[in-house]
Amino acid sequence: MLSRSPVQTGGAPNPVPQVTLAVVCGGYAVGSAVGWGSPRIAAIMGDFGLSFAALVAAVSCGLYARRYSTPFRPAWVLFALSSGMAGLGNGVWGWYEVFQGSAVPSPSLADFCFLLFAPPAIVGLLVLAKRPVTKAGWVCLGLDAWLIAGSLLTLSWSLALAHTAHFQGRTVAQSALSLAYPLLDIVLVSMVLALHFRRSSVHRSAINTAIAALALTVLCDALFSSPLLHDHYRSGQILDAGWFAGSMLFAYAPWVGRRSGAESEAPDPRQAARRPQPPGSRPIAGSLAALTPYLAAAVCTLGILTNVLDGRRIDRVVLFTGCTVVLALVVRQGIMLLDNITLTQELAQKENHFRSLVQGSSDVIMIAAPTGVLRYVSPAAAGVYGRDAEELVGAELASLIHPEDLGRVVHEVRRFLAASPEVEPTTRIECRFRAGGQRAGGGGTSRSSEAESGGRWLNVESTVNRHHGGLIFNSRDVTERVRLQAQLQHNASHDALTDLPNRALFTERVTKAVTGRRASDHDTAVLYIDLDGFKQVNDTIGHQAGDELLIQAARRLAESVRAGDIAARLGGDEFAALITGDGTRDRAAREYRILEIADRLRLRLSEPYRIDGRDVRVAASIGVAFAEPGVSPAGLLRNADLAMYRAKQAGKGRVELYAPQMQDEVAHRAELAGKLRTALQDGEFALLNQPVVELASGRITAVAAHARWRSAEGILFTPAEFLRVGDRGRLTDEGGERAAELGRWQLEEAVEQAAARQRAGHQVPVAVRLSARRLLDRALTPKAIEALLARHGLPTGALVLELSESDPRVPLDDLERRLVALRRLGVRTALDGFGSGYAAMNALRRLPIDVLRLDRGLIDGVVESPRLHKITAGLLRIASDLGMQSVAEGVDLPEQVLALRSMGCTHGMGLAFSGPLDEHRLRRALTRGSYPVPDLTGPGRAVVLSGSRPVRHGAAAGEAETSPVAPK
């Protein structure tokens, strides 16, 4: 593992304060060395200079303690008090020497102040120290202090203090004072040494500076107390430079941490724990702290040996102190032994606890050496990997990782080892891991197949941590999760019923084909496929059979496309296929190739489907569009859809190739839809009425209401034109809403005009054409129609509803109930377009119909075609037998009038009488009351059916009134 040096944050500390401090202390030392120039100046600088420095230290520590609320505030207050006592003592000393010019008496007030310097400093050191958390810790702290103090006392007593204690000619107070200074210094030195290795990690630079200041002060006190310097000491000498430097260091100490950017709060222990340590290293401070008792005992032994070597008798003080030091050492070692035993037991318990956690964990824990060899594998490997832990230990990790994942794993491990542990303590790796044959739930994989494929692979997720240059892998099996994610991704991009790609995935593949590296292959094509007649399968057999048909169709489609192509289900009964190109430049060749593929798919999809024991047939309409230059993916899909729509319009069950005019038709329909929307909003619709004439007498018996849209150009459009704006022959939702809105307007306008004509004396009913779906609209209930008639004052018998567009999707039961309810109100019903198909015959069989309106297709050829003549005559006999009134639509020629009347048709409407009229011309026609009809008995009026064609004799008896506008 590569080690990195800690990242330095912030800028470098400002060196100006340190330089200033060094210059001041150096200047004082130089002045002391040269004697300050005169004895008086030396005395002033030696006494009041030291007093000033001590007071500066006291003020500095006091200000810091007042300004900052730190855990060590009491220590700085005590240091301020200690420095203040030193400053006061030096001031008293200078009073005697400088102002009074006499020797300082012994003892004096200065001695009292100097003696009070040590106790606050000792207590302040205790505050700075790291407090023990147990009673044994406090006892060990006291024993360490005594070991150091006793050893120093033994050595000092042997060297100098014994002579001081027996000094002749001094009083008891003087002797006690002579002993008090070194003893307090010994205690202070003991505390400094004992607490140096127990100091708190918080504000370390400030604490180190304070300890250095005390150590320097104690050293100068020891030199002052020694017999060699004591008798020759004078104020202002070089010894004062040490005291001066100690006071200045005290003044600078509390501000060191603030200047270097360190905060007073405790550092995050997690960061300290994450800080890398060299393998096998131990902190130097901890090692020296462990050696402190033995060093103290060695010093004590040295003091006793000094007495023995000098030939002196061992002093009782030395003997007593040495015995107490040895006793303290024995007690301390006993406490440490008990503490070690307790720690060993706790360590064993924690080790057992950790071992049980590791062995009982469902995750596999592996430790890999820097070489990649596994040194430890937890027992969970047997259940997760199907391999025994002993089998994996010693194996190379790279041999167990899937070859496709090995490069990515090695890259991630190297990147992780190169990163800083503080920035990235862990990483996460996911790869495939080789599983053994012992794994439970192996999915039924046989040993032989595993051997052939190289073993089964598991998806494994591992949390990686650093460990003594190697790595710890905490791994778990996530195969089921990966499998579930893959399944969810598959479900998101595939159809749930057929398992073919869905619209989103198909669009993505089309985008790649159009914009990818093969975008120049313009023979790439999209096939848009729609199953014709699928809705009838759902309506007749059921939706479950429809789903089965879709599944079989999807299977056929997937089997029919090439390996490089893609088939998809876009929704409902719509499918699509992407046929990639082969680089063909010849337009005719590419069209032939794609159309051949499309026709093969059409034939395959049109084959019978075996569902529930029966054969079900549907056809397939396919639209083809090529990826021409400049066509977007969405445009390509739209073009294929338009081509498929054209295939359905052209008769279904065929293949159509996209042409640009198809888009023009769509634009035209969109333009027409926009105009229709504007016409609905601006009220541009007009209602025309066409008379219904009795063929026998020419009398007007009813009128049929027709809506017309007058465009801005003055052209009148019929409903067949302005409602044919839906997609694929069906009205869109928006078109259906417009048709419904137009139907409501047409019904209400027809009822209002008919009521006005009733009040004017024209008692003729009005016929309004509505679709079957519109008749079942919730907004057009029988009560709503009754309310409409009552609001305008029109009798219920004056309204005839013409049922048009008999949609097979409309349930006949609901339609029958609605028409029965309308008949109870007196509203009559006409069946429009009778004879045009099976749906009309089925409606005649089920629904309560009053009037049959023959389809225009029967009337157009009734004169020329004897076959059509017989069919029409048969339908008219059915209407007569059922007691229904018959109305022929599209009677434009007199010959048709004669033929229909001869076949028993009672009423007709068409250009033979009149086209659709506006209200003014309709009122004139109603006032006249009838139209002239051809007469079979008159001269020149007979129509003879000879062979297959009629022969007309003579001219028409009169001219029919026609509409000023021709119907579209």
Side-chain angles (χ1 to χ4, degrees):
M1 184 185 303
L2 297 177
S3 301
R4 295 182 60 181
S5 59
V7 180
Q8 300 293 336
T9 58
N14 189 3
V16 174
Q18 291 95 326
V19 172
T20 303
L21 179 64
V23 169
V24 171
C25 294
Y28 191 94
V30 171
S32 300
V34 299
W36 297 104
S38 66
R40 182 171 180 80
I41 296 177
I44 293 174
M45 294 301 296
D47 295 333
F48 293 107
L50 294 181
S51 177
F52 174 77
L55 292 177
V56 168
V59 172
S60 176
C61 294
L63 286 177
Y64 182 85
R66 181 179 180 181
R67 178 177 298 181
Y68 299 106
S69 178
T70 66
F72 301 140
R73 175 185 285 182
W76 298 114
V77 172
L78 291 172
F79 288 150
L81 179 61
S82 178
S83 298
M85 298 308 298
L88 183 59
N90 284 307
V92 173
W93 194 285
W95 174 264
Y96 284 109
E97 284 191 344
V98 176
F99 290 101
Q100 293 188 359
S102 61
V104 181
S106 180
S108 66
L109 181 60
D111 295 321
F112 178 77
C113 293
F114 289 145
L115 291 177
L116 290 180
F117 166 80
I122 294 172
V123 178
L125 287 175
L126 288 174
V127 174
L128 290 179
K130 187 184 298 181
R131 295 177 178 83
V133 295
T134 61
K135 295 181 179 179
W138 284 105
V139 173
C140 289
L141 178 61
L143 292 175
D144 290 342
W146 171 245
L147 286 171
I148 297 173
S151 61
L152 293 178
L153 178 61
T154 302
L155 184 61
S156 302
W157 190 275
S158 301
L159 295 176
L161 294 182
H163 304 287
T164 302
H166 296 87
F167 192 78
Q168 301 295 329
R170 287 179 178 265
T171 63
V172 175
Q174 292 175 342
S175 300
L177 186 62
S178 299
L179 292 175
Y181 278 115
L183 291 178
L184 286 176
D185 289 338
I186 289 174
V187 174
L188 193 56
V189 171
S190 302
M191 293 304 302
V192 169
L193 293 177
L195 297 178
H196 173 70
F197 304 111
R198 294 177 177 268
R199 64 186 183 277
S200 174
S201 59
V202 183
H203 225 345
R204 184 181 297 271
S205 55
I207 297 175
N208 289 337
T209 306
I211 291 177
L214 287 175
L216 185 59
T217 302
V218 169
L219 176 62
C220 293
D221 288 345
L223 293 175
F224 174 76
S225 301
S226 64
L228 298 176
L229 296 179
H230 183 75
D231 295 336
H232 304 284
Y233 172 77
R234 296 291 181 273
S235 295
Q237 292 182 352
I238 191 63
L239 188 61
D240 291 345
W243 282 315
F244 183 85
S247 297
M248 297 307 295
L249 284 176
F250 251 133
Y252 177 67
W255 308 95
V256 176
R258 289 287 168 179
R259 288 190 58 262
S260 61
E263 299 295 334
S264 58
E265 291 80 3
D268 189 357
R270 293 174 296 182
Q271 295 182 357
R274 289 198 299 262
R275 188 175 295 113
Q277 295 289 344
S281 66
R282 290 187 59 187
I284 298 177
S287 302
L288 294 178
L291 293 176
T292 300
Y294 304 101
L295 293 176
V299 171
C300 183
T301 303
L302 181 62
I304 297 176
L305 288 177
T306 301
N307 287 335
V308 174
L309 292 176
D310 289 343
R312 299 194 303 269
R313 182 175 59 86
I314 298 177
D315 193 281
R316 285 177 296 178
V317 175
V318 174
L319 182 62
F320 177 77
T321 305
C323 291
T324 55
V325 168
V326 173
L327 180 61
L329 180 61
V330 172
V331 173
R332 189 185 187 283
Q333 289 302 107
I335 293 175
M336 293 301 297
L337 180 61
L338 295 177
D339 193 20
N340 288 337
I341 293 174
T342 303
L343 291 177
T344 302
Q345 293 176 351
E346 291 180 359
L347 181 61
Q349 292 177 358
K350 291 181 179 179
E351 184 178 356
N352 292 332
H353 180 64
F354 174 74
R355 183 181 291 107
S356 62
L357 287 177
V358 171
Q359 295 180 353
S361 174
S362 60
D363 293 351
V364 180
I365 299 175
M366 302 183 297
I367 300 178
T371 58
V373 178
L374 295 177
R375 297 187 302 190
Y376 173 80
V377 179
S378 66
V384 175
Y385 298 151
R387 294 170 175 264
D388 293 333
E390 293 79 6
E391 177 187 352
L392 293 176
V393 173
E396 290 189 2
L397 186 61
S399 64
L400 304 175
I401 299 175
H402 196 282
E404 296 178 0
D405 300 337
L406 182 58
R408 175 172 53 84
V409 173
V410 171
H411 174 75
E412 176 62 20
V413 168
R414 289 177 177 174
R415 185 201 62 78
F416 172 66
L417 292 177
S420 172
E422 289 82 2
V423 177
E424 189 175 7
T426 63
T427 189
R428 191 177 299 273
I429 296 176
E430 187 170 335
C431 63
R432 284 169 289 180
F433 199 88
R434 189 189 303 276
Q438 301 178 10
R439 174 176 166 81
T445 304
S446 62
R447 294 293 184 89
S448 60
S449 62
E450 284 186 2
E452 293 174 359
S453 62
R456 199 167 69 88
W457 297 98
L458 301 176
N459 293 92
V460 176
E461 182 185 64
S462 302
T463 302
V464 185
N465 294 271
R466 299 172 177 85
H467 176 70
H468 294 297
L471 296 171
I472 297 179
F473 292 84
N474 192 350
S475 307
R476 62 204 63 87
D477 182 13
V478 294
T479 304
E480 292 301 325
R481 189 195 71 187
V482 172
R483 193 173 300 165
L484 178 60
Q485 289 177 347
Q487 184 64 37
L488 292 176
Q489 185 176 3
H490 178 83
N491 293 343
S493 59
H494 287 74
D495 178 59
L497 179 64
T498 62
D499 202 39
L500 287 179
N502 57 13
R503 181 182 292 272
L505 181 58
F506 185 76
T507 304
E508 180 183 347
R509 297 293 178 85
V510 171
T511 303
K512 290 182 179 179
V514 173
T515 61
R517 62 181 181 87
R518 301 196 56 160
S520 59
D521 296 342
H522 304 316
D523 55 337
T524 297
V526 169
L527 276 59
Y528 211 104
I529 307 166
D530 186 86
L531 300 181
D532 303 322
F534 174 73
K535 190 177 186 312
Q536 285 75 7
V537 175
N538 277 339
D539 294 340
T540 56
I541 307 178
H543 289 275
Q544 186 173 359
D547 292 343
E548 178 62 27
L549 189 149
L550 291 176
I551 294 173
Q552 293 185 24
R555 188 181 302 118
R556 293 181 184 182
L557 183 61
E559 293 172 353
S560 301
V561 298
R562 301 174 304 177
D565 302 332
I566 178 175
R569 182 191 178 200
L570 304 183
D573 59 341
E574 295 180 351
F575 296 86
L578 175 65
I579 309 300
T580 56
D582 55 4
T584 303
R585 295 289 181 179
D586 187 2
R587 185 181 185 88
R590 72 176 188 178
E591 289 184 2
Y592 177 79
R593 180 179 68 89
I594 294 298
L595 290 177
E596 183 183 16
I597 295 174
D599 196 60
R600 185 175 69 249
L601 290 178
R602 181 187 64 82
L603 294 175
R604 184 75 176 94
L605 294 175
S606 300
E607 293 177 359
Y609 296 86
R610 192 69 178 174
I611 300 175
D612 295 337
R614 65 167 69 178
D615 288 339
V616 179
R617 292 181 178 272
V618 295
S621 297
I622 302 178
V624 179
F626 286 99
E628 300 290 350
V631 177
S632 64
L636 180 59
L637 290 174
R638 181 200 59 217
N639 295 343
D641 190 14
L642 291 176
M644 188 272 295
Y645 170 48
R646 173 60 62 88
K648 294 181 75 70
Q649 280 186 329
K652 302 180 180 180
R654 56 187 296 144
V655 178
E656 285 288 340
L657 186 63
Y658 170 78
Q661 57 267 26
M662 297 180 183
Q663 183 63 32
D664 297 337
E665 294 177 1
V666 173
H668 175 69
R669 289 200 303 271
E671 180 183 3
L672 189 60
K675 291 182 179 179
L676 177 59
R677 187 183 305 110
T678 303
L680 286 171
Q681 295 174 355
D682 297 344
E684 297 178 359
F685 285 95
L687 191 65
L688 302 180
N689 294 276
Q690 188 171 13
V692 178
V693 180
E694 187 178 20
L695 297 181
S697 62
R699 183 173 57 91
I700 301 175
T701 59
V703 294
H706 299 286
R708 293 293 187 269
W709 171 31
R710 187 180 301 276
S711 67
E713 294 80 9
I715 302 175
L716 288 177
F717 291 94
T718 63
E721 291 174 306
F722 58 67
L723 289 182
R724 196 179 294 121
V725 295
D727 190 19
R728 298 178 188 167
R730 300 187 298 268
L731 289 175
T732 60
D733 294 338
E734 186 179 356
E737 293 177 1
R738 292 194 297 270
E741 184 178 351
L742 180 60
R744 286 192 296 269
W745 174 85
Q746 180 178 352
L747 178 60
E748 186 161 352
E749 188 74 12
V751 170
E752 183 179 359
Q753 292 183 6
R757 289 192 294 268
Q758 291 274 341
R759 290 190 295 270
H762 304 294
Q763 307 293 325
V764 290
V766 61
V768 181
R769 181 179 298 177
L770 295 174
S771 66
R773 184 175 297 276
R774 177 69 184 134
L775 277 173
L776 292 178
D777 193 351
R778 294 181 180 180
L780 201 63
T781 61
K783 291 184 178 180
I785 295 177
E786 184 179 13
L788 175 64
L789 296 174
R791 184 169 67 251
H792 293 285
L794 183 67
T796 57
L799 178 63
V800 179
L801 296 180
E802 295 181 358
L803 180 62
S804 66
E805 299 180 11
S806 184
D807 193 344
R809 296 174 294 180
V810 176
L812 289 179
D813 295 337
D814 297 341
L815 187 58
E816 181 181 6
R817 285 191 292 269
R818 179 62 56 87
L819 294 179
V820 169
L822 291 173
R823 172 174 281 187
R824 293 195 189 101
L825 294 177
V827 177
R828 293 185 298 166
T829 305
L831 182 60
D832 186 34
F834 183 70
S836 61
Y838 171 78
M841 296 298 295
N842 194 30
L844 179 63
R845 182 177 61 87
R846 295 282 304 274
L847 302 177
I849 302 299
D850 299 303
V851 180
L852 282 182
R853 175 171 288 187
L854 296 180
D855 186 74
R856 178 184 291 269
L858 297 174
I859 309 303
D860 288 341
V862 70
V863 178
E864 293 84 358
S865 173
R867 183 181 181 87
L868 192 58
H869 184 279
K870 293 180 181 180
I871 294 174
T872 305
L875 294 177
L876 289 172
R877 282 195 298 271
I878 292 175
S880 178
D881 294 341
L882 294 176
M884 298 179 184
Q885 187 183 37
S886 57
V887 178
E889 184 179 0
V891 183
D892 297 334
L893 302 174
E895 291 85 351
Q896 294 173 342
V897 175
L898 296 176
L900 290 170
R901 190 170 61 186
S902 65
M903 287 185 287
C905 183
T906 59
H907 295 77
M909 53 185 295
L911 295 181
F913 306 103
S914 173
L917 304 174
D918 57 22
E919 188 64 21
H920 175 68
R921 287 182 172 83
L922 179 63
R923 293 284 182 96
R924 286 170 49 190
L926 291 176
T927 302
R928 188 168 59 248
S930 64
Y931 288 98
V933 295
D935 188 2
L936 287 173
T937 61
R941 298 298 181 185
V943 177
V944 180
L945 290 173
S946 174
S948 61
R949 294 187 60 82
V951 180
R952 180 180 177 185
H953 301 278
E959 296 296 332
E961 183 178 359
T962 59
S963 173
V965 291
K968 291 287 182 179

